[in-house]
Every structure is written in structure tokens, then in C-alpha cells.
Amino acid sequence: MRRGTKRKASRKDEAGKSKEETKKQPNNEIAEEDEKEPSQSQPAIEENSKADANDNSAKDEENKVETSSKQAQEKPSKALKQRAKRAKISKPEAEPEYFEDQRNMEDLWKQTFPVGTEWEQLDLVYQYNWSFRNLEDAFEEGGELYGKRVYLFGCTEPQFLSFKDEQKVIVIPVVVAVVSPFPPSDKLGITSVQRESEEIVPMKQMKMDWVPYIPLENRESQVERLKSQIFILGCTQRRAGLRHLKEDRVKKFQYCLPYFYQPFKEDELEQSTEVQILYPDTEPPTVCSFDWELDEYEEFIDKLIEEEVLPSDKKDDFQKFVEEKVAEAKKANREARRARKKALEEMSSETKAAFENMQFYKFYPVPTSDSPDVSSVKSPFINRYYGKAHKVL
């Protein structure tokens, strides 16, 4: 039995070996075929390797393009980062400044044109931070001008004052308020020592007129303009346009005075017996004043010759010139009296009552740390036409 078993095992082994040999045979054949193929397909392999190389070079180019595009995209971001760094490194911000809210009528005094002020002196008027709180308060409830129809004009008064330990001439702004149901006048008086005679002209001839003043909080409303009870004397002439005007025209502005005619009071011109003389036939011209009630022609002229103001050979001609000016002044006085009498006769009772109740208020700037104290130089006198104010504030 052991021999039979061995035989069977050997047969199986042989069968397994034969099977393995049969399996190995085709592999060996394939290997042999593979060894034979390289010699026959070498050109194809070379072509494949070239194609692979071309593909690799194309990929390298694509990678380069992608890299350059990425770098180009990264550059702006770097610049932005640098800007952000600079912004972070910037100096610390200063503490915010706080300003007081502008008052409702704070610019009222600036809106009123300073009549009769030389153009060159306007900058001197506004060089200080003047305050007219007294004028603003006058329009509040309980104030002098509350609920009234008011006409305002400006003027200036040069005074020698001390400010911050310095003595100098300071051009003080002044505002005159006229309480009246209608404009006090639509005319200006133009006069000066240099001018031979006085001129009364319409305001519009000098580009001036009464215009409504609107407080800041109502300035955008056209309805408020129609309802306004405050009127200011404004001027549309601009400094930039002065260079196109003749010198005499420019000087008229600095000789202007707001004109007012009070029919119930005799005008200063009616009362005056003095005449201003500007005799042009000498070099320089002879300037003086002659009072026909107090002065004698002969005595007056001889004194001028003695003082060498007038040449002796001009005595007769000068006397004739003075007599003509006196005659003109007397005629003007007579005409003024006649006109006043006629105006009173034609005036309605309402207008008469308005003139009788008309009030003048004169406002000076209040003392502040930013402006000179003008309390020591306040005066009730307005000008030769308006006379004195009823109240000075």
C-alpha cells in the first residue's frame, strides 16, 4: 500500500510539473518575442520620445505663463499692502476743533454797506472780530426793535484807540437803525471839502438800495423775503469793477452820506450862513469858508493876502467869486424852505404821524477780547442830514 501511494504522488507531481512547464512556455515565448521586437520598433520609440519632449516643453511654457500671471496679480496686492502699511504708520489725527453755532442774525452788521467809507479802508473795518450782539438782541422779544419795521445803514468812524498795548487809528463800524413804516429816504448826499457844491442824488445812481434782510434760518425761503420787516442799505458795486470807473466816480462813493429830509425841522442848510469856497484860479487852489453874516468881504480878503494864501493881483476876481457863491447859497436856502413848506401842505396825516414818531438808534460794537473797546468814543451824532440819534447802544 505504501508503494501505491508513492506512485500516485509521483504521478501527481509529474502532472503538476507538466502543467507548470506548459504555463512557463508561453511566457518564455513572449519574452523571446520582446527581445526580438526592439530591433524592429526603434524609430517608433524615438518618435514617441520626441512627442513626449514637445509635450513637456509646452507644459513648461504654460507653467511659465501661469507663474508670470500670478506674479502680475500679486504685485497690486503688494502695493495695496504697502499703502495699508503707510496708512497705519500715518501721523496721529489732531483733536477735533469745536466751533460755536452761527447765530441767526450774526451777519446783519456785515450785510449793511458802510456808506461813505473809502474802498481802501474796507479791509481795516473787517480786520477785527467785531460783535454786534446788542443789535441782535434788539430784535428779540423785549428789545428796542422787536416787532418793528426797521431800516438799517452802516457807516464808519476812525478813532485813535489802544488795543493790545498798541495805540493806532482804528476804523470802527457803526450801524444806524431807523424805525419807520416806510423808507426814510431814497437819496444820498454827496459832499466834501474838495467839492464845490453839494449833490443830492438817487441811491440807485450809486448802485445802492434798500433790500430785505433774511435771518440765516429763513434764508432759503422766498416767502420770508416778502414778509421781512428788516431792510438794509445794500450796494451792488464791486471793488473789482472800480478799475473800470473814472477817478471822480470812485471818489463819489467815499463822499456819500445817507440823506434824510425832516419836514418838521428846519434843515441845517436853511439855518447856515456859511459857504464853502474853492477858488481854482490859484496854485494851489484857495480853500476857505465865508460866513456872510459874520465876515466882511474887504477884511476877509485882505487877511488871506496877508497870510499869502491869495495873491494880491487876484483880490477883485476872488471877491466876485465869493459873492457868486454866497448868492447861490442864499438861493438854495430859500428854495429849501419853499420845498419844505410845500411838502407839509401835501403830506397826509399818516405820513406826518410817521415822521413825528420816527426813531433813530445808533449801535456800536460791544467789547470783546478779539476787538478794541470803543465805549469811550461813542457819539450820538449820525451825519449832517440825520443829526443826532435818539438812543446810542
Side-chain angles (χ1 to χ4, degrees):
M1 290 177 70
R2 290 178 181 175
R3 289 180 182 176
T5 307
K6 287 180 180 180
R7 285 177 185 172
K8 289 178 182 178
S10 63
R11 286 177 185 172
K12 289 178 181 178
D13 293 337
E14 287 177 0
K17 287 179 182 179
S18 63
K19 286 179 182 180
E20 288 175 3
E21 287 176 358
T22 55
K23 287 178 182 179
K24 288 179 180 180
Q25 188 174 0
N27 291 335
N28 291 334
E29 290 176 359
I30 292 168
E32 288 176 0
E33 288 176 1
D34 291 340
E35 288 177 359
K36 291 177 182 180
E37 282 177 2
S39 62
Q40 294 176 357
S41 60
Q42 189 68 28
I45 293 170
E46 290 178 358
E47 288 178 3
N48 291 334
S49 63
K50 288 180 181 180
D52 291 339
N54 291 334
D55 291 340
N56 291 334
S57 63
K59 288 180 180 179
D60 291 340
E61 290 295 328
E62 289 178 359
N63 291 333
K64 288 180 182 179
V65 172
E66 289 179 0
T67 304
S68 61
S69 64
K70 287 180 180 179
Q71 290 177 351
Q73 291 175 355
E74 288 176 357
K75 283 182 181 179
S77 62
K78 289 180 181 179
L80 291 171
K81 288 179 181 179
Q82 290 178 354
R83 290 178 186 173
K85 287 180 180 178
R86 288 176 185 171
K88 290 178 181 177
I89 301 171
S90 61
K91 295 181 180 179
E93 294 183 1
E95 293 184 3
E97 295 184 13
Y98 296 96
F99 299 92
E100 292 184 6
D101 292 336
Q102 195 169 12
R103 299 187 301 275
N104 196 29
M105 300 179 71
E106 187 174 350
D107 66 342
L108 175 57
W109 78 272
K110 290 183 179 179
Q111 295 293 322
T112 59
F113 183 70
V115 187
T117 305
E118 295 182 23
W119 293 100
E120 294 77 10
Q121 290 188 344
L122 288 178
D123 293 333
L124 299 178
V125 176
Y126 303 113
Q127 67 176 324
Y128 300 108
N129 189 23
W130 300 104
S131 173
F132 279 83
R133 289 296 295 265
N134 52 348
L135 177 61
E136 298 169 43
D137 294 341
F139 287 96
E140 299 294 332
E141 188 172 356
E144 300 282 353
L145 308 177
Y146 177 72
K148 298 177 181 177
R149 195 177 185 89
V150 182
Y151 294 83
L152 302 161
F153 64 84
C155 56
T156 53
E157 297 179 0
Q159 296 286 351
F160 194 72
L161 294 172
S162 175
F163 181 61
K164 293 184 178 180
D165 300 326
E166 185 180 358
Q167 295 278 343
K168 60 179 178 179
V169 175
I170 294 174
V171 183
I172 304 168
V174 178
V175 177
V176 175
V178 181
V179 177
S180 171
F182 49 77
S185 175
D186 61 351
K187 293 181 174 57
L188 297 168
I190 302 176
T191 181
S192 71
V193 177
Q194 290 80 11
R195 298 179 67 85
E196 293 184 14
S197 60
E198 179 186 45
E199 245 186 301
I200 307 298
V201 300
M203 287 180 176
K204 291 184 179 180
Q205 185 175 314
M206 301 303 294
K207 294 190 175 182
M208 298 186 203
D209 202 358
W210 299 108
V211 295
Y213 172 80
I214 309 300
L216 291 172
E217 64 183 15
N218 302 325
R219 201 154 285 179
E220 295 180 1
S221 173
Q222 293 295 327
V223 177
E224 291 297 329
R225 185 173 293 273
L226 298 174
K227 292 163 56 179
S228 177
Q229 293 291 307
I230 306 172
F231 295 85
I232 58 175
L233 185 57
C235 179
T236 58
Q237 176 63 55
R238 297 290 173 258
R239 292 176 70 177
L242 294 174
R243 62 178 180 271
H244 304 298
L245 302 179
K246 294 181 179 180
E247 185 179 356
D248 183 61
R249 169 72 174 171
V250 174
K251 286 188 176 296
K252 277 187 176 183
F253 282 96
Q254 70 188 53
Y255 299 146
C256 281
L257 291 175
Y259 179 78
F260 178 71
Y261 178 70
Q262 173 55 274
F264 298 106
K265 292 183 180 179
E266 194 173 15
D267 193 278
E268 285 185 10
L269 293 176
E270 297 176 39
Q271 299 174 355
S272 176
T273 59
E274 188 177 41
V275 62
Q276 298 296 322
I277 304 298
L278 178 62
Y279 182 64
D281 292 345
T282 58
E283 186 59 40
T286 303
V287 179
C288 59
S289 60
F290 180 81
D291 191 316
W292 65 74
E293 287 189 354
L294 300 177
D295 296 326
E296 295 290 338
Y297 287 107
E298 190 79 20
E299 182 181 348
F300 179 80
I301 296 172
D302 288 342
K303 187 177 181 181
L304 290 176
I305 294 173
E306 184 180 344
E307 294 174 352
E308 298 183 352
V309 175
L310 180 73
S312 57
D313 60 339
K314 295 289 183 179
K315 180 178 178 178
D316 295 338
D317 187 64
F318 180 76
Q319 181 171 338
K320 183 180 179 181
F321 182 82
V322 173
E323 289 173 351
E324 289 176 356
K325 292 299 176 183
V326 169
E328 290 176 4
K330 288 181 177 179
K331 181 182 178 181
N333 287 0
R334 288 193 300 271
E335 290 178 352
R337 291 190 189 98
R338 199 178 299 119
R340 183 168 61 86
K341 184 179 179 181
K342 183 180 179 182
L344 285 170
E345 291 173 354
E346 297 175 352
M347 192 177 294
S348 67
S349 58
E350 292 82 4
T351 305
K352 287 180 181 179
F355 273 107
E356 289 174 349
N357 297 322
M358 202 173 285
Q359 297 287 308
F360 306 151
Y361 296 87
K362 190 177 181 183
F363 291 87
Y364 284 87
V366 297
T368 66
S369 59
D370 298 329
S371 62
D373 185 355
V374 302
S375 55
S376 62
V377 293
K378 290 182 178 181
S379 168
F381 183 75
I382 300 173
N383 64 32
R384 59 179 298 186
Y385 304 114
Y386 278 83
K388 294 181 179 181
H390 294 92
K391 192 170 185 178
V392 178
L393 297 99

